[in-house]
Amino acid sequence: AGTSESHVRPTSVEELLDEYTRQDVVEDWKCEKCRNTGGVRRSLLARRSNIFVMYIDRRQDTNLFGKINRRVSFPQYLELGKWLDAPDDHEVDEDAGGKSRYSLYAMCVHQDLRGSTEAGHYVAFVKDKAGGWHHLDDETVRPVKWSVVQEHHPYLLFYAATSPIFPAAKPPPPPASGAPAERPPPIAKPPDAGTNHVDSAKAQPGAPSAAGGAAEAEAAASP
């Protein structure tokens, strides 16, 4: 695929997350309250999000522009529950397979030249709504199988929650203090069929009505 292979033992996304979140012993740490020394430090995901992006660092610090092409396997569905700090996010949703379940929908790959990060080419793999995968290379897009996607070395993995979190609807703001509550506009009542209505504010005593105006005008014109 345009990328050199590494002889280092293959690993997986789950193993990398375990390594990232493992406890580190800090011997020279000192508590300000009890004055005891020593402690542990651990990094966890603070909360469950709708999108989880995982960056796999392949830079080799010991060599200028060196690249680590260690094979990292990645699943189509990833359970993040064990790496979450919030215990409520571990609850199981039978319909979605778990609230902390994520589905892979895109991946970015760096195709290097001679095992270097100095030059190369970036391509992407994207999954459509029907579950089919596509290879994106500049303006070229072609369908590929999942087995082809698995052969590549991921740089960025994009996962979406199968049970997304939607923002709660905000209630309308309360009226200002001392301000009268707004009344709803009156509902107009349609006139009954076959009935002529006259505006009472404009009707004058003795004036001809809309129904008999024509007959009264004709009678007044007769000698």
Side-chain angles (χ1 to χ4, degrees):
T3 299
S4 58
E5 292 290 339
S6 173
H7 299 290
V8 182
R9 182 187 67 86
T11 184
S12 64
V13 164
E14 292 87 349
E15 289 184 0
L16 293 179
L17 287 172
D18 284 338
E19 178 66 19
Y20 181 80
T21 59
R22 68 179 177 87
Q23 290 186 354
D24 293 328
V25 178
V26 185
E27 297 180 355
D28 57 350
W29 179 82
K30 185 176 182 179
C31 180
E32 297 179 355
K33 294 182 179 180
C34 64
R35 300 299 179 179
N36 290 331
T37 58
V40 294
R41 175 178 57 192
R42 188 183 185 190
S43 299
L44 291 172
L45 301 177
R47 61 180 178 86
R48 184 170 65 91
S49 60
N50 289 336
I51 300 297
F52 174 70
V53 181
M54 185 172 181
Y55 164 65
I56 300 177
D57 190 1
R58 296 186 176 276
R59 296 172 300 174
Q60 191 172 13
D61 297 333
T62 58
N63 187 12
L64 185 62
F65 300 114
K67 182 182 178 183
I68 303 173
N69 278 323
R70 183 183 187 184
R71 182 165 293 280
V72 179
S73 61
F74 46 92
Q76 286 205 65
Y77 294 95
L78 179 64
E79 293 284 350
L80 285 180
K82 63 180 294 187
W83 302 290
L84 287 172
D85 188 29
D88 294 340
D89 289 336
H90 300 181
E91 298 176 2
V92 175
D93 186 349
E94 295 181 358
D95 295 334
K99 287 185 177 181
S100 58
R101 192 185 193 198
Y102 287 74
S103 175
L104 181 68
Y105 70 90
M107 181 178 73
C108 182
V109 174
H110 176 253
Q111 296 178 342
D112 60 70
L113 296 176
R114 297 179 297 276
S116 173
T117 59
E118 183 180 11
H121 183 62
Y122 285 95
V123 297
F125 294 89
V126 180
K127 183 171 65 174
D128 58 27
K129 293 182 179 180
W133 283 92
H134 301 269
H135 177 256
L136 281 69
D137 185 355
D138 292 338
E139 71 278 2
T140 304
V141 180
R142 60 183 178 87
V144 293
K145 296 181 179 180
W146 166 243
S147 58
V148 175
V149 180
Q150 291 177 296
E151 294 176 358
H152 288 77
H153 299 279
Y155 227 86
L156 289 169
L157 294 168
F158 298 84
Y159 284 89
T162 57
S163 181
I165 303 172
F166 295 99
K170 295 183 178 180
S177 179
E182 296 183 0
R183 295 182 178 181
I187 300 176
K189 184 179 180 181
D192 298 335
T195 304
N196 294 315
H197 292 265
V198 181
D199 190 349
S200 59
K202 297 181 180 180
Q204 301 295 330
S209 63
E216 291 177 3
E218 184 179 356
S222 301

